[in-house]
Amino acid sequence: MTDTLLARLTPIFRDIFDNDTLTLRPSMTAAEVDGWDSLANIRLFVAIEVALGIRFSAVEISGLANVGALVALIERKLAG
Amino acid sequence: MNWEPASLSWLPEAPSDFRDRCRQVSGSGAGRALRELASHRLDGAHLHRLAGGLARVVAGGGSLDPLEPFRLGLLSNGTTEMLIPALAASALRHGLALEVVAAPFGQVAEEMLRPDSPLRGRELDAILLALDHHGLPLGEGLGEPETAERARTAALAPLALVRSVAQAPLIVQTLSLPPETLFGHLDRRIAGTARHFAEDFNRQVAALGDVVFDVAALAESVGTAAWHDPAPWHLARLSFSQRFLPLYAEHIARLLAALRGKSRRCLVLDLDNTLWGGVVGDDGLDGIVLGPGSPAGEAFVEIQRMALALRARGIVLAVCSKNDEAIAREVFRRHPEMLIKEEHIAVFQVNWDDKASNLVAIAGRLNLGIEALVLLDDNPAERERVRQALPTVAVPDLPDDPALFPRVLSAAGYFEAVTFSDDDRHRADRYGEDNHRVELRERLGDLDSYLASLAMRVEFFSFDPANRSRVTQLLNKTNQFNLTTRRHTEATLKAFEENPAAFTLAVRLSDRWGDHGLIGVVIALPSGEDWEIDTWLMSCRVLGRKVEERILAHVVQAARAHGIAGLIGIYRPTGRNALVAELYPRLGFSPLSDGRWRLDLRAEEAMGDTRHAGGADGEGQQAELAV
């Protein structure tokens, strides 16, 4: 499940950060990705919401530590 | 395609290499390239990327010609960093190179009171005042009309201030409310509720005479529960759900274009399956679907009603259709359910020529630029062809359901206006009716490369029980591309199937838009050493794509395999098949003394003529169409 989800998220991340070689790892944080500032973060979450048909609350968006936490959150939403 | 306003679904989908193209924009064609990239269905990430491409060209000092510069002042009580790039990218779609001058966050009054503020200066083309409910004093004076009235006056104070010091025209946003109520239905009656306040505020805004940006209506159109997402406000002081950012920015951009007089002026209508259901050339005046009695018939009436409503506010109507002009005009004259009459149409451009050329002719006749035209056409292949040849003509993508055509056309906002006058009311009449066909000056674009881009695939079959009923249907309803119009029965077809001397052919076509099914039929019967073509017909949906040349190549190949000396063609005029009167001479047949036509296969072979070579033989065989 996690790998499938990472594969679905990869093109979204590449689109948002305009980086065709970006490879997602669960431990990856915003600080490691060029251009991942607060506004890019909002664009990222809108893109994920639209692509996966889910919605994030402000608390959820602001509380994520890394890509792995994001994936776990999405998994819970898709399961629930 | 589904109808989904937030995704700008009237625009064609963005190419998969969109980001690469944004990076590559440069040089003298940059303005045009940016505009073309903007004319797709762009989401927030696309817009950001395109704005990056624009900024790069600007920073490099490159020319944005033919885009027109526009300087917009922006006053908002929210964060504008997301909006500004989205706005710059959306403005490209409307031919504008936008520069935004924004007041610092939340400083509407302070900025306007600063004497040296750029927002007060003459060099702005317009100022947008974008206040939302977070920035207005809602909920004061509950049940006390006078206090509530004072609150509303106070809410209009920034607007009054901006009006008094700004020199540029103002665009004022209306107030949309989140769905939360205080009492519920009673809110609308009680002074001091948010609902009551918003009603008053919006009425005042409309009365002031500035340009209105009706965000209240925009948010309603997608649903206020979706629009007013609290998350973006709590995270970053963003006023509404950012999934609607492309829609919001597009609406501002089209208002700016309207201020510049760049709104479209003429709605060009296709006929078959756009103004009525069915194909009049085949189904006949009585066979088309229009009017009460069927859901589809009702839907086409609504399309006509909308076109007439647009005409009444000054939009000129024209017709561009691949049809026989006399047959098409008959519908306007004689069909009892037609709301649109001949006199409503300023130019009829009805013929079998390429639509792009016909659109140029329409624009020329009306003395309009082609960027003033909108083409409403149900056929995706025609739409694509026009977009390729004439990228500045607006060609909305349409859903399959014609009942949604009016909604999509409206949502696309091609005819946005900032004023309405008596002059507009009578404009369409002045164009009058034009009974003269406009002669085409030149063919536009490269038809062959367009046809190649359709990736057409033609497949050939003999008649068999599986395709017999569709072949019978084609034989009995095809009128226009039909050389002999012989209406064979299913029993006769069965006899052809079982007769080894008879050559039968059912032709199937598919392209990148989908499978068109069986679209052509040929029957050839032995006549001495020759084959006589008893029947040759094609569905008019696929005319103009050189499929006939491909079919002939196949028949020639089959005939040669059978040792046949020549093909004999007959044209029997019926009053509805003038389209193919010259088909045989055009394909290289020579006249015989009795009015028939003959293609000598042995002479062709001896001369090494390869014009008709290359047909694949056998059942179900495929061929990529080489054009």
Side-chain angles (χ1 to χ4, degrees), chain B residues 170-184:
Chain B
L170 268 189
I171 304 171
V172 184
Q173 159 170 327
T174 59
L175 173 59
S176 168
L177 289 181
E180 291 87 341
T181 62
L182 186 59
F183 297 97

Side-chain angles (χ1 to χ4, degrees), chain B residues 228-242:
Chain B
H228 292 284
D229 183 350
W233 180 257
H234 294 152
L235 280 171
R237 294 289 177 262
L238 292 162
S239 169
F240 54 89
S241 168
Q242 294 297 292

Side-chain angles (χ1 to χ4, degrees), chain B residues 447-491:
Chain B
L447 187 60
D448 283 350
S449 65
Y450 161 67
L451 290 175
S453 75
L454 282 177
M456 291 192 285
R457 209 173 67 178
V458 185
E459 294 173 85
F460 299 106
F461 302 87
S462 299
F463 291 179
D464 60 32
N467 62 32
R468 194 185 300 150
S469 69
R470 170 62 179 155
V471 169
T472 311
Q473 191 188 37
L474 279 170
L475 282 169
N476 287 292
K477 72 170 239 194
T478 307
N479 294 311
Q480 304 189 86
F481 192 114
N482 196 336
L483 274 305
T484 57
T485 319
R486 290 185 175 131
R487 311 293 199 193
H488 296 300
T489 63
E490 245 185 274

Side-chain angles (χ1 to χ4, degrees), chain B residues 535-569:
Chain B
T535 293
W536 185 358
L537 62 83
M538 277 187 358
S539 158
C540 68
R541 186 133 181 111
V542 300
L543 297 186
R545 297 185 177 195
K546 302 191 176 184
V547 177
E548 58 272 28
E549 294 174 17
R550 195 65 200 77
I551 292 176
L552 179 62
H554 182 82
V555 174
V556 164
Q557 185 130 339
R560 283 195 179 129
H562 284 82
I564 297 300
L567 294 177
I568 298 201

Side-chain angles (χ1 to χ4, degrees), chain B residues 463 468 488-504 523 525:
Chain B
F463 291 179
R468 194 185 300 150
H488 296 300
T489 63
E490 245 185 274
T492 319
L493 292 192
K494 187 159 180 288
F496 285 138
E497 280 169 34
E498 289 160 359
N499 174 3
F503 170 79
T504 65
I523 301 168
L525 301 171

Side-chain angles (χ1 to χ4, degrees), chain B residues 558-592:
Chain B
R560 283 195 179 129
H562 284 82
I564 297 300
L567 294 177
I568 298 201
I570 304 164
Y571 168 67
R572 297 205 311 177
T574 62
R576 299 174 83 172
N577 64 350
L579 170 68
V580 288
E582 296 301 315
L583 179 75
Y584 285 125
R586 185 159 68 74
L587 291 174
F589 285 60
S590 312
L592 297 176

